[in-house]
Structure formats: C-alpha cells, structure tokens
Amino acid sequence: MSEKATRVAYGEALVELGAQNDKVVVLDADLANATNTNKFAKAYPQRFFNMGIAEANMVDVAAGMSTMGLVPFCSTFAIFGAGRAYEQVRNSIAYPHFNVKLCMTHAGVSVGEDGGSHQAIEDIALMRVIPGMTVVVPADANEARKAVFAAAEFEGPLYMRLARLATPVFEEDYPFEIGKANVMREGTDAVVFACGMMVSESLEAAKLLEAEGKSVAVVNVHTIKPIDAACVKEWAEKCGNVITVEEHSVIGGLGDAVADVLMGQVNCKFKKIGVQDRFGQSGKAKEVLREYGLTADQIAAVIKATF
C-alpha cells in the first residue's frame, strides 16, 4: 500500500482545482513549502498571496475576498490557523457566514519533532463549537483531494484538518460527500468510528482482532460536523459496542460528537480513544503516536478490553 501525506494531496488538488475554477485564490502565512500551497503559487502566482506570519490578517483578508465572489483557501499550521486566528475565524468568517475554506496542516501529535507547542490537539473542538462551521478530516490522500473539490463547491465556512505525516492510501476508491460517513469494514461485535489517519490504524486493529475471532466494523467519519447521525446510530445499534478513535484530545472532538448523537438514543457500551487531556511532545512521529496509544496494536488492545 502506497503512502502520501494529506497535506501533499491538498497542494496537488489546489493546482488541479485552480485550472478549473478561476475564482479560487490561495492565502498562506509564510509556510507554503510545508503546507504545499507552494505548488499553487508556482502555477498561479497572481492568485496566491503570502500574508507573512500574520494569521489573523490572512483570515480577515480572505473574508474580504469572499465578498467579491472569490473562493479563498487559507492555509498554515493548524495550531496557528485554528488557534492564533480563532477570533478572526469566528467573527470575520463564521459570524457573517462567509465562503472561506480554512485548510490547516500539521495537525495532531504526528507532527512529531516540532513538539507540543505546534501539535494542535484542540483544533477540531475549537472549530466544531463555532456556529455554522463545517469540519472535515480526510482519512487519506485520495479523500483529501476529493474534499478540496467538495469544499470549493460547498457554500459557507469550512475547516479541513490535514496531516504532515505520510500515511497509507486506500486501494479502494470510496465516494466522498460532506456529511456522509463511509463504512470501510462491516462487523458485528463492535464498531469503531474514526477520522483522519486513525482510520487506517483502526482498520489494522480490526484485522488483528479478526485473527482472534472478533468482528469489528470501521466507519470513516470524515465529516465531524455536520456528523452523519443516521450512520452513527445505525452501527451503534447493530453492534452495541462503540469505540471512537482520533488523533485529537478526547475532549470536544470526534468522540464527543459521536456521544452527542448516541446519548439518550442508543443503549450501548462506549469508549473514546485519543489524547487524554495532555499536550503533545517532541519525538519521531510514529514514536509519539505510540506514546499516546494511537497505533493499531494499542487500539486493538483497548477494543479487546471492551468485549
């Protein structure tokens, strides 16, 4: 299975999108090489704007551009775009419901060596709580490409979470629709709802458990908000044992979004796997993921304990 980072797929998709839609503009906060928006800058220099290390200004400029009929894509690291510029995202983009796409890279602890200060583990929670904000977390490079095109067609503010680390690209071509989860694997004993790179880890965990005679379904919840409530309820009822897996704090992210759907609606066991109320830390990406219990064998062990 090949590997590619979702941020790389994002940069490639922007170039492809730019050729089809001349209203698309891209803004970056002096991190174009890392976010991969440099590809768009090279292809369409007149439609690329490096705003410097001024994330709040970048967001405000994008808001203004959207009122002119343009479709702005804003990129920087998630910690800066969702964190430092939060007030501007809230008041300048979401409050007036402007058509701006916030596509932030280097999210989660898999950023690795940059350490806890740069590892956004709160960004889904921050964006999810903003009224009218749509939140998307692609599971692989193919889905990231599809999400870019879907975001451009979508009217309104949208936050997309992208990763630094190269991760497996699924061989099967799954459809992508904002707000519709994808069932990646069927099962009867438990269901895992996952997003981002945790989808591939959860699928590996399900394979490990299959070898032990356990049948585990895996659902890719690529849209955290609006969440696919019908799918979540259906699979929770089928399996009666729900596990959520995210490379994000267990507070305010996918796990809480799933819990909100199920509370008072479905009688089932429930377990959240994610970052347990602590900051990230510096280290090799895969070692940091293991430190936080986010690798396939660790996920499998937690699921096994729920049976």
Side-chain angles (χ1 to χ4, degrees), residues 208-221:
L208 292 172
L209 290 166
E210 183 180 36
E212 298 183 22
K214 297 297 183 182
S215 174
V216 177
V218 177
V219 179
N220 169 18
V221 187

Side-chain angles (χ1 to χ4, degrees), residues 18-76:
Q20 297 178 17
N21 188 342
D22 62 6
K23 298 294 185 185
V24 169
V25 292
V26 175
L27 299 84
D28 206 293
D30 213 34
L31 285 168
N33 288 342
T35 64
N36 274 250
T37 61
N38 59 341
K39 296 179 174 72
F40 187 93
K42 184 177 180 181
Y44 314 104
Q46 299 304 312
R47 288 193 271 154
F48 176 82
F49 302 88
N50 180 9
M51 306 308 295
I53 305 173
E55 294 83 2
N57 185 49
M58 173 180 71
V59 166
D60 282 341
V61 170
M65 286 177 162
S66 73
T67 68
M68 302 164 62
L70 298 172
V71 183
F73 280 74
C74 277
S75 295
T76 181

